Structure formats: structure tokens, C-alpha cells
Amino acid sequence: MAVNFEKLIMDLVAPLVVHPEDLLVKKFSEDEESITIQVIVHKDDLGRVIGKGGKIANAIRTISYAAASRIGKKINIDIDSF
Amino acid sequence: MKTFRFETKVLNDATLKFAADEMKVNQEYVSLKVVEEKHGLLGLNKNYVVEAVVNFDPINDSIRFLQMILTDMEIKAIVEAHQGEENNFTFTIDAEENPILIGRNGKTLDAIQTLLKNYINIFTDEHYMVLVDIGGYKEQRKKQLEILATKTAKEVAKSRISVCLNKMNAYERRVIHTKLSDWRDVTTESEGEEPNRYVVIRPKAK
């Protein structure tokens, strides 16, 4: 079973942003234990994607973590702006 | 739904972008409607009064959003929505792999709920109450909590010693408070800081 994490995170983040043209989701590295995914959003969207006290960011992490746990991997998500 | 009225001289993509920026939503969800054309003196300056509307249906779009995420996770599931009184929505998900979606102590379930609530409230002005339940987990948890509340309250009433319960999230604390609100012998109070807030059940002074 191959879950496409880039697409999953893209779908999770896309409705939140005002500047979809500046949204970038990229797999950074993958090894046997973990996957690192980099999310880059427009400067103005950063606050909305992270949320109050990282609430939204953590929700996104938890959902991705659940999806990744089925293939026995950990997932790290970095959220950053330009 | 969010609406926004403004005047403009030209109608093009930039107008749409402006409206989307003003309302702080993704421009794919915005549509424009010309309400009125204003002509200046001699009919030279033309101004449009435009109304921008967010195309969003809380129930159907939320179901689509949940289905999309579940498909991305490769989980087959049935999503149902139910509108309670006023702006109260309950979404029930039933999947083959419920435990994965619920997570430890309902952590993943809470994440889905937070995200969906945020998703709905971005596109609307009104405030919606959103509840997500997976395979009857919340209902079952509510029953358990009510049993725990009654049992502990009886003990407190008898021994007259305060009891602290384990840390719980806002919804779970609410269940306990509501359950014990009409008891004569005990009072309840939440203490501590999020995310380690907990309920204390105290005997009522006579």
C-alpha cells in the first residue's frame, strides 16, 4: 500500500491558504524509519496553516502520522514560508 | 456564507483576486456577481458594484473534504452528516479501519475535528459547532465518562473528600460537568492549564 503523503498534505493544506500559487509540498528525505516533508507557503498564509499555538499544524501532523503508522514509518512535517 | 460588496472600474482576474484577498479565502471558492452598473456624468466613467460570494455548502463540501482525505489515506469509509439544531453539525465516519482513524485516546479523531471545524469556519461568517464521530467512539466514551462521573460523585458525597480526575479535553470535561450539574451533594470545577486540565469533584458545603 502506497499512500501518497505529498498529495495528502497538499489536500489538507490547500483549502486553508489564500495564495495557492505559492504552496509547495515536497518530500525531503525518506529512509526506513521516517519521512520528512517540507511544506512551503506564502508569508501571509503561514499563520493560518500553523494556527493558534500550532493547533492546525499539530492536527495536520497527527493525521499524517496516523496514515504513516500503517506502513510503520514516522513522518516529520516542516512548515515554512519564503 | 461570507459576502463582500465593493465598487470597481474594471472586471478581470485582478478583481477576483482582490475580493478573495479581502475575504481571506482561496480564490477558487469565490464567485463574482455584478449587482449594478453605475454611470458617471456623460456616461464616461463606468463603475460596477460587485458582490463577491463564497461558494460553500457546509454539509456537502465538508463531506467532500473528509472523503478526499480518507481516500488519500487509502481508507475506505462512509461519511454521513447530520444537522442538529441551529449551527450544530455532526459528522459520522465509518471505516474498515476505525482504530487508525481514532488514534490513541481519540487523538487522531480530535485532529480531524479541529481541522474540519477550521475548514468550515474559514468560509463562513457564522460560527458552527462541529462534532466528528468515528464508529460510535464518542458516544461510547460519553457513556463511560458518565458512569465514571456518577461513581466518583457518589464516593465524594459519602467520604466528603475531593477527588481529581485524569486530564481530559474540553469535550470530555463538559460531559462530566453536565452530568453532575444537578447533583445536590457535589460541585465540579476544572483546574490546571491546557492541555493538562482536569476536573475536580468537591463535596458541597452544607
Side-chain angles (χ1 to χ4, degrees), chain A:
Chain A
M1 224 172 303
V3 180
N4 186 344
F5 291 104
E6 279 148 305
K7 186 171 182 303
L8 172 65
I9 292 162
M10 190 78 178
D11 285 343
L12 287 171
V13 176
L16 308 175
V17 298
V18 183
H19 303 276
E21 68 277 4
D22 288 342
L23 174 61
L24 197 75
V25 180
K26 217 165 165 4
K27 192 177 342 183
F28 215 62
S29 67
E30 177 170 7
D31 55 36
E32 282 160 20
E33 284 167 3
S34 64
I35 305 169
T36 306
I37 286 179
Q38 181 83 39
V39 179
I40 298 175
V41 294
H42 191 275
K43 194 166 92 258
D44 300 344
D45 288 330
L46 194 62
R48 323 181 73 193
V49 174
I50 293 173
K52 190 182 174 188
K55 211 167 138 195
I56 308 298
N58 282 334
I60 292 170
R61 286 197 182 104
T62 310
I63 293 174
S64 323
Y65 181 86
S69 69
R70 298 167 79 204
I71 54 169
K73 284 191 183 182
K74 295 251 158 61
I75 188 159
N76 296 311
I77 302 175
D78 289 336
I79 300 171
D80 214 335
S81 72
F82 287 115

Side-chain angles (χ1 to χ4, degrees), chain B residues 82-171:
Chain B
H82 174 78
Q83 184 166 10
E85 52 196 276
E86 285 176 30
N87 293 336
N88 245 322
F89 293 123
T90 312
F91 295 90
T92 42
I93 303 173
D94 212 341
E96 289 166 2
E97 290 157 282
N98 279 335
I100 287 182
L101 283 180
I102 293 168
R104 194 172 179 190
N105 294 335
K107 211 176 149 200
T108 314
L109 173 56
D110 284 339
I112 296 174
Q113 182 173 311
T114 312
L115 214 62
L116 186 68
K117 192 172 169 182
N118 186 57
Y119 174 71
I120 292 175
N121 286 321
I122 277 181
F123 295 105
T124 51
D125 276 339
E126 300 151 70
H127 194 76
Y128 288 97
M129 298 272 281
V130 182
L131 199 77
V132 180
D133 197 355
I134 298 174
Y137 174 81
K138 279 225 172 128
E139 227 167 277
Q140 209 185 324
R141 179 92 184 124
K142 196 179 164 192
K143 269 182 205 148
Q144 279 176 1
L145 285 171
E146 281 174 352
I147 293 169
L148 174 77
T150 329
K151 219 170 127 188
T152 322
K154 269 182 193 158
E155 252 169 54
V156 171
K158 211 172 164 189
S159 67
R160 307 204 57 79
I161 297 169
S162 306
V163 172
C164 304
L165 299 177
N166 288 340
K167 60 170 190 177
M168 289 172 191
N169 66 26
Y171 173 77

